[in-house]
Amino acid sequence: MKKLTLIAPARSKYMLNQMLDAGANEIYVGLKFPKFNQLSFDDRFQTIAGHSAHVRSLEELQSMIEIAKKKNIKINFMANAPYVPEALQDDYVRFVERAVSMGIDYITVSSIQTIKLLKKSGIGLPIVAGSSLGPTNIYMVRLLKEMGVFRITVPHCIKLEELKTWKEEGLEMITIGNFEKGSIPGSSRLWESPNHLEIGEGERTSYKIELPNGQKFRSITILDSSTDCNLCSLEALAEAGITGIKLIGREAPNPATLAAVVDLYRQWIEMGVEGIKLGEKIQIMEQEHLMWVMRWVPRFCEKNRCTYLDTPILAAYV
């Protein structure tokens, strides 16, 4: 297995250092935009369940960039609003330009509109196509390549066989590694709010389904995409062309807990590079890692979310 880039979030210097100590190879950040009460230009709520999802100030961002550069770590700046109203386009460009002037390395966007805005403004940094701009076929991949995108975020719904054909286009391809909502990263089939509990029941809630004839089904989880983690498929993803794994959690209440997830992925990637087989990996992690102490087995395996559960080698360890 080839080495995969491990991309982790940070919203502060403390969180940045936690991610770097855990083994992240690249960091992505969002910046709070003072004109907005709720969302920022990175399409995230200012706070999620009371926790900030952004770097709070330009000064904090500058110090984080300086720390990263000393350790030769790339900084990916999230500017991935799926749509920017015409009245806010100048603000959007200035928002990105400030980050560029501080020394960021990449810019993540999520619309053709914002790619054109950046090109028109003369911003020439490498562009990453974010989750909402994730291509669903080879023609979209080629379009993004023609527009100067160097990396795409692959939706979970793409099959490995199709992904292998995308690899021939020569773009970097990343996918989400840990938790995500809906069947496509960054999208949801039901409305919810992370800040108002009365709006929506949450992505992982079990919903009761009732047919028009009054017949009721048992409660089922209809939004679970069966992609809570992709540890067991890292080798297959790498072979198909995936070059990096992005871990989400900028708003994580405890960065140290998220750092444990980063460290877990780092270890699995390193074991994959060394050629260690799946069963041996699981034995190692059972004995040595917080994955099991933190009761991730019920979360990932007992709920039958893992697509590899029907394989004898994994089933033996569940």
Side-chain angles (χ1 to χ4, degrees):
M1 172 181 156
K2 67 179 181 180
K3 182 77 172 179
L4 295 172
T5 300
L6 190 54
I7 308 165
R11 64 171 181 265
S12 65
K13 287 189 290 184
Y14 172 75
M15 190 170 183
L16 170 68
N17 286 321
Q18 290 279 318
M19 299 302 106
L20 297 182
D21 289 344
N25 311 117
E26 182 178 315
I27 298 295
Y28 68 93
V29 299
L31 181 63
K32 184 176 181 180
F33 187 66
K35 285 189 178 182
F36 297 157
N37 293 325
Q38 290 291 326
L39 294 173
S40 183
F41 276 129
D42 63 354
D43 194 38
R44 298 290 285 174
F45 283 89
Q46 301 281 16
T47 60
I48 298 178
H51 302 283
S52 174
H54 304 84
V55 179
R56 292 184 177 274
S57 68
L58 292 169
E59 293 75 19
E60 179 89 352
L61 177 60
Q62 184 68 74
S63 62
M64 291 170 66
I65 292 173
E66 291 171 0
I67 292 171
K69 286 191 175 298
K70 288 180 181 179
K71 298 187 177 183
N72 199 30
I73 297 293
K74 301 291 186 183
I75 293 287
N76 186 349
F77 185 71
M78 309 302 284
N80 53 326
Y83 171 70
V84 178
E86 185 176 355
L88 294 175
Q89 288 182 0
D90 290 341
D91 284 325
Y92 176 85
V93 171
R94 285 193 292 269
F95 174 77
V96 176
E97 286 177 336
R98 281 195 293 268
V100 171
S101 68
M102 293 180 179
I104 60 169
D105 300 287
Y106 310 141
I107 305 167
T108 291
V109 302
S110 278
S111 72
I112 299 297
Q113 175 208 21
T114 48
I115 292 177
K116 291 182 176 180
L117 281 174
L118 296 180
K119 296 291 186 182
K120 183 178 179 181
S121 67
I123 296 175
L125 284 187
I127 294 176
V128 178
S131 299
S132 297
L133 195 56
T136 55
N137 56 53
I138 188 65
Y139 304 105
M140 184 65 175
V141 173
R142 290 170 179 167
L143 174 62
L144 293 174
K145 180 179 179 181
E146 291 174 2
M147 298 193 72
V149 168
F150 89 101
R151 174 192 289 171
I152 57 176
T153 303
V154 177
H156 287 152
C157 58
I158 301 302
K159 294 183 177 181
L160 290 176
E161 291 76 13
E162 184 174 7
L163 191 59
K164 291 176 182 178
T165 67
W166 294 11
K167 180 170 62 173
E168 303 304 318
E169 298 300 318
L171 297 178
E172 290 188 12
M173 298 191 292
I174 66 173
T175 191
I176 305 298
N178 50 343
F179 304 107
E180 192 49 71
K181 56 186 182 179
S183 60
I184 300 177
S187 67
S188 172
R189 299 296 184 259
L190 294 180
W191 174 255
E192 66 164 342
S193 169
N195 301 319
H196 302 284
L197 297 180
E198 68 274 14
I199 301 179
E201 298 187 56
E203 295 293 341
R204 298 183 176 278
T205 300
S206 292
Y207 293 85
K208 292 182 179 179
I209 307 300
E210 182 175 346
L211 296 178
N213 62 9
Q215 180 183 1
K216 292 184 179 180
F217 289 84
R218 62 181 177 83
S219 296
I220 58 174
T221 306
I222 62 174
L223 291 184
D224 195 334
S225 60
S226 299
T227 49
D228 281 339
C229 100
N230 55 23
L231 289 171
C232 296
S233 57
L234 289 179
E235 283 85 352
L237 288 168
E239 182 183 356
I242 291 294
T243 58
I245 301 296
K246 177 184 175 183
L247 302 179
I248 68 169
R250 277 185 279 162
E251 72 286 353
N254 185 353
T257 302
L258 182 59
V261 179
V262 174
D263 182 57
L264 173 64
Y265 269 84
R266 177 190 61 78
Q267 291 188 53
W268 274 66
I269 290 172
E270 289 178 356
M271 286 190 290
V273 172
E274 294 172 8
I276 297 176
K277 301 300 182 182
L278 176 59
E280 187 178 351
K281 287 182 185 178
I282 294 174
Q283 286 183 319
I284 291 171
M285 304 318 288
E286 279 184 323
Q287 297 169 5
E288 299 181 4
H289 204 279
L290 284 176
M291 173 181 180
W292 311 105
V293 177
M294 294 166 65
R295 298 184 180 180
W296 282 15
V297 173
R299 175 171 288 173
F300 287 145
C301 301
E302 187 176 294
K303 299 298 183 182
N304 293 325
R305 289 189 174 114
C306 183
T307 56
Y308 283 74
L309 265 183
D310 56 355
T311 61
I313 191 169
L314 183 59
Y317 293 98
V318 175

